[in-house]
C-alpha cells in the first residue's frame, strides 16, 4: 500500500466504477470480502485515496494469476482484477480521500502481528536446531558441546527474547489506546530481521541436514524472508522509525 495507487474509482450516480489491478493479495482466492483502495481524485495523490468493501462474485471483479513463492506456500497470494466493477456508495469506507489515513492505521495494527509471526518462526527454528545439536555426534561428542555452536545458540536465544519483548510492548501500547506507530514499526522490523538471522543460523547449526528438506529449518528460512518484505519493507520501517525519532 502506498500513495501512488493506480486503481481508479469514478463516481456514477450513487455508485462508483472501479478499474485496475492489485498484485500480491494474500488469501485472494479464498476471501469472500475484500477492502480495496482506489483513487477517487487522481490529481490529489494520497489525498484522493478512498477505501471500498467489495464482495466476491461482483461482476467485473475476479482473481487473476496465483504467485509461485519462495515460502509461506500455505498462504495463497494472487492478483485481483477490477474491470468496470460497480460498487454502491454504501460500500465506501469513511469519506472520499480518507483512504490513506485508514491504510496507515491498518498497517500500524498489522505490523506487530508480522513481528509475532517472526518470533514464532525464530523460536521454532531455534527449537529445531537445539534438538538436533544435542543429538548429532561429531568427534564423539554432541555438536551442542562445541563452544562455537553454543555462541550461535546463545545469540539466537538472546535476539528472539529481545524481539518478543518489542512485539509485546507494541501490542501493550495498542491495548492501552496509546500511540504505537513507532513501536509497531520497530517490532516488525527488528523481529523480522531476527527471524532471518536466526533461521540462517539454525540451518548452519544443523549442517547438511539444515539444508535438507528432511528437517523444517530450511522452510523456516524461506518463510522468514517475506517478514522483512510485506506490510512495508524493513527499509520503509526504518524510515517510519527515523521520522518518529527526528520530528
Ligand atoms: C507474499 C506476499 C503477500 C502480500 N500480501 C499483500 C496483501 O495482502 N495486500 C497488499 O496490499 N499487499 C500485499 N503484498 C505486497 C507487499 O506489501 C509489497 O510487496 C511490499 O510492501 C513491498 O512493496 P513493493 O513490492 O512494491 O516493493 P518496492 O516498493 O518496489 O521496493 C523495492 C525495494 O526498494 C526499496 N524501497 C522502496 N521505496 C523506498 C524508499 N522510499 N526508501 C528506501 N527504500 C525503498 C524497498 O525497501 C525494496 O527493497 C504482498 C507481497 C507478498 C510478496
Amino acid at each position: 500500500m502506498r500513495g501512488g495507487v493506480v486503481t481508479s474509482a469514478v463516481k456514477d450516480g450513487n455508485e462508483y466504477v472501479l478499474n485496475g489491478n492489485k498484485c500480491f493479495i494474500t488469501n485472494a482466492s479464498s476471501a469472500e470480502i475484500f477492502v480495496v483502495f482506489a483513487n477517487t481524485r487522481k490529481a490529489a495523490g494520497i489525498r484522493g485515496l478512498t477505501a471500498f468493501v467489495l464482495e466476491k462474485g461482483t461482476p467485473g471483479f475476479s482473481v487473476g494469476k496465483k504467485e509461485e513463492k519462495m515460502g509461506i506456500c500455505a498462504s495463497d497470494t494472487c492478483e485481483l482484477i477490477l474491470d468496470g466493477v460497480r460498487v454502491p456508495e454504501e460500500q465506501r469506507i469513511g469519506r472520499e480521500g480518507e483512504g490513506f489515513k485508514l491504510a496507515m492505521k491498518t498497517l500500524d495494527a498489522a505490523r506487530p502481528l508480522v513481528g509475532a509471526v517472526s518470533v514464532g518462526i525464530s523460536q521454532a527454528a531455534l527449537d529445531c536446531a537445539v534438538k538436533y545439536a544435542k543429538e548429532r555426534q561429531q568427534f564423539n561428542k554432541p555438536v551442542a558441546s562445541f563452544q562455537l555452536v553454543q555462541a550461535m545458540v546463545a545469540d539466537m536465544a538472546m535476539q528472539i527474547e529481545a524481539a518478543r519483548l518489542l512485539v509485546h510492548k507494541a501490542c501493550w501500547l495498542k491495548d492501552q489506546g496509546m500511540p504505537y506507530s513507532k513501536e509497531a514499526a520497530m517490532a516488525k522490523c527488528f523481529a523480522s530481521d531476527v527471524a532471518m538471522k536466526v533461521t540462517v543460523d539454525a540451518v548452519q547449526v544443523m549442517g547438511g541436514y539444515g539444508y535438507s528438506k528432511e528437517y523444517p529449518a530450511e522452510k523456516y528460512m524461506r518463510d522468514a524472508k517475506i517478514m522483512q518484505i510485506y506490510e512495508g519493507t524493513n527499509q520503509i520501517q526504518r524510515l517510519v522509525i527515523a521520522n518518529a525519532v527526528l520530528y
Side-chain angles (χ1 to χ4, degrees):
M1 174 70 217
R2 61 176 118 169
V5 167
V6 176
T7 301
S8 62
V10 176
K11 192 91 188 279
D12 182 23
N14 57 359
E15 290 181 325
Y16 289 87
V17 183
L18 271 61
N19 280 291
N21 283 25
K22 298 282 177 187
C23 58
F24 295 116
I25 302 304
T26 301
N27 293 335
S29 70
S30 50
E32 301 281 327
I33 305 276
F34 298 78
V35 175
V36 169
F37 291 85
N39 223 316
T40 39
R41 273 195 305 149
K42 269 214 173 107
I46 58 171
R47 285 186 301 279
L49 279 189
T50 306
F52 298 91
V53 174
L54 261 71
E55 287 172 66
K56 182 181 179 176
T58 305
F61 184 40
S62 57
V63 176
K65 86 170 162 90
K66 183 174 169 177
E67 297 295 335
E68 297 295 329
K69 308 193 299 290
M70 172 198 291
I72 59 164
C73 299
S75 161
D76 85 50
T77 312
C78 304
E79 181 188 23
L80 285 180
I81 301 159
L82 298 105
D83 183 11
V85 184
R86 300 192 81 85
V87 183
E89 212 170 17
E90 307 84 72
Q91 287 178 215
R92 188 186 70 216
I93 305 176
R95 288 197 295 271
E96 276 192 21
E98 276 188 351
F100 190 71
K101 204 170 74 185
L102 288 169
M104 291 305 108
K105 280 174 80 173
T106 308
L107 286 172
D108 279 350
R111 284 171 181 164
L113 302 181
V114 176
V117 175
S118 302
V119 170
I121 294 171
S122 306
Q123 188 65 56
L126 175 61
D127 293 348
C128 180
V130 164
K131 184 169 185 294
Y132 183 89
K134 286 177 171 174
E135 287 167 6
R136 168 73 173 156
Q137 300 272 326
Q138 279 294 40
F139 308 100
N140 298 319
K141 286 184 198 164
V143 295
S145 69
F146 301 130
Q147 288 188 341
L148 290 177
V149 171
Q150 290 178 359
M152 275 196 279
V153 168
D155 282 346
M156 289 157 86
M158 192 160 48
Q159 289 163 10
I160 295 169
E161 203 55 30
R164 183 177 284 119
L165 290 173
L166 254 184
V167 170
H168 283 188
K169 181 171 181 189
C171 295
W172 180 83
L173 286 170
K174 182 176 191 301
D175 284 351
Q176 304 308 305
M178 291 160 78
Y180 71 104
S181 293
K182 181 184 72 182
E183 289 77 6
M186 285 177 166
K188 189 272 184 191
C189 187
F190 187 80
S192 59
D193 283 352
V194 163
M196 199 65 250
K197 177 155 193 343
V198 162
T199 54
V200 168
D201 285 352
V203 168
Q204 191 69 20
V205 166
M206 295 173 68
Y209 276 110
Y211 201 69
S212 159
K213 284 190 186 285
E214 207 171 316
Y215 287 86
E218 61 81 32
K219 172 194 162 5
Y220 298 142
M221 191 174 117
R222 289 183 287 108
D223 288 351
K225 187 61 209 169
I226 188 61
M227 303 299 147
Q228 296 180 306
I229 296 173
Y230 65 8
E231 301 301 343
T233 64
N234 282 4
Q235 283 73 34
I236 298 300
Q237 307 308 317
R238 286 179 166 89
L239 295 183
V240 171
I241 297 162
N243 198 48
V245 171
L246 290 167
Y247 304 109

